[in-house]
Amino acid sequence: MSLATEEQELELLVKQMTLEADGVLSLRLVHPGGDPLPEWSPGAHVDLTLKGSLVRQYSLCGDPADRGSYRVAVLREQAALGGSEYVHEGLRPGHRLRVVGPRNNFDFLPAKRYVFVAGGIGITPLLAMLTEAERQGTDWELWYGGRREDSMAFLDELAAYGDRVKVIPEETHGRLDLATALPTPEPGTLVYCCGPEGLLAVVEEHAASWPEGTLQVERFKAKQIEVDPDGEQPISVDCRRSGRVVQVPADVPVIDALEAAGITVSSSCRDGICGTCETKVLAGTPDHRDSLLSDTEQASGTTMMICVSRARTPELALDI
């Protein structure tokens, strides 16, 4: 049971593929019959099944007002596990893809002013936010860093916004100057950041003294969380709606134990970053190991990502 709502499973047609920068390819997906696609909001992503059972999550980076198509962008990664290589080498217009979603774990919240910080392909979830902020007439600025200018996607689109967009290629301008980009925010300002883990870690450190909730981040890869395997303990999971109690060995993820017991669980990334397996906690204390929930959300203990998280108590009761 996932907490994700209003998700749909669709078979969409790859209508168009566009090289947006060196190593970045965008896909425009449409319904084969021309039907309108499910609504989505800035920050949302979808799951794409690329070949066989290979599933990857990609941010929607088009206009939320466009119900006729979805746009995603895929960075070709040399060390990836086949997803980006398949998109760049094997996928072509006319192919069909299984798409699940949209799902939003990076909500675009109301604010008087926005500061956006993107690193590389991290520009993708922010594009729709710029569109929406512009539509609302809200003040904003974007700081966009990348290794080289020719590797930074969507620069032509961003140029239309003028000097509110600061493009900082590292090879010619050095790294983003966070002291300039992110001074202490004034009340009513929200900061949205997406990019590689190195950038996010520095931004989070920079923002440590800010009021809670000022900084909103999205990760494409899970945070490195140190876990002592010798300290792991077996736990008992009471699946209330299923009427089953499942024993989870110390070396087995909760989601694997539930599936082995025949309890169907929605999942996708298995890394604690996509939110598909988020599950309500009815009793017990989770040991959170995800890269998605905020500190406040983790402290509340009301939900957990059962693909990576375990328990600090011998027993958990889940709404599943």
Side-chain angles (χ1 to χ4, degrees), residues 25-315:
L25 194 62
S26 71
L27 313 178
R28 191 167 294 277
L29 309 173
V30 301
H31 191 283
D35 295 349
L37 300 179
E39 294 182 4
W40 60 282
S41 57
H45 69 270
V46 292
D47 294 350
L48 301 187
T49 300
L50 298 175
K51 57 178 181 178
S53 59
L54 182 65
V55 177
R56 293 291 183 267
Q57 294 80 40
Y58 296 105
S59 298
L60 291 171
C61 57
D63 183 350
D66 176 13
R67 297 290 303 281
S69 68
Y70 287 160
R71 184 177 69 168
V72 300
V74 181
L75 170 67
R76 182 164 191 171
E77 298 182 88
Q78 300 301 322
L81 299 177
S84 68
E85 180 183 4
Y86 173 73
V87 169
H88 281 255
E89 295 296 329
L91 199 61
R92 293 294 180 267
H95 286 187
R96 298 192 181 200
L97 294 175
R98 176 179 174 268
V99 179
V100 177
R103 182 184 311 118
N104 201 334
N105 303 312
F106 194 37
D107 290 323
F108 186 51
L109 304 173
K112 294 181 180 179
R113 182 173 182 271
Y114 299 99
V115 178
F116 301 103
V117 180
I121 198 64
I123 188 63
T124 52
L126 303 184
L127 288 174
M129 296 184 182
L130 304 185
T131 299
E132 187 60 28
E134 191 73 359
R135 184 177 288 129
Q136 295 174 1
T138 308
D139 185 28
W140 62 269
E141 64 179 359
L142 166 68
W143 295 76
Y144 181 17
R147 292 184 179 179
R148 309 182 320 277
E149 186 170 340
D150 65 0
S151 70
M152 299 173 70
F154 304 107
L155 292 183
D156 289 344
E157 289 183 27
L158 294 171
Y161 293 122
D163 60 8
R164 282 178 294 176
V165 174
K166 283 78 173 174
V167 177
I168 315 293
E170 186 176 342
E171 71 172 359
T172 56
H173 293 68
R175 294 187 177 182
L176 285 172
D177 180 1
L178 294 182
T180 301
L182 300 175
T184 302
E186 298 177 359
T189 298
L190 289 181
V191 177
Y192 280 82
C193 181
C194 185
E197 184 59 34
L199 172 65
L200 298 185
V202 173
V203 170
E204 287 178 325
E205 182 179 355
H206 181 82
S209 63
W210 293 356
E212 184 176 353
T214 301
L215 177 64
Q216 307 287 323
V217 302
E218 180 167 71
R219 287 178 158 82
F220 291 141
K221 295 183 180 179
K223 293 188 289 187
Q224 295 298 314
I225 299 176
E226 297 295 330
V227 176
D228 178 8
D230 295 332
E232 298 283 50
Q233 300 294 326
I235 59 175
S236 178
V237 177
D238 182 359
C239 303
R240 292 283 175 86
R241 273 192 291 120
S242 300
R244 302 276 303 282
V245 175
V246 178
Q247 303 304 318
V248 182
D251 59 346
V252 175
V254 172
I255 195 169
D256 289 355
L258 298 186
E259 290 177 341
I263 298 174
T264 302
V265 180
S266 297
S267 67
S268 182
C269 72
R270 301 276 176 151
D271 284 327
I273 60 172
C274 76
T276 308
C277 70
E278 185 175 4
T279 303
K280 289 182 181 178
V281 178
L282 303 177
T285 303
D287 180 6
H288 295 288
R289 302 176 186 180
D290 65 275
S291 303
L292 183 59
L293 296 175
S294 68
D295 292 342
T296 300
E297 289 169 331
Q298 289 188 352
S300 73
T302 56
T303 71
M304 64 183 288
M305 306 302 164
I306 59 175
C307 63
V308 292
S309 298
R310 292 184 65 83
R312 298 185 183 278
T313 49
E315 298 181 355

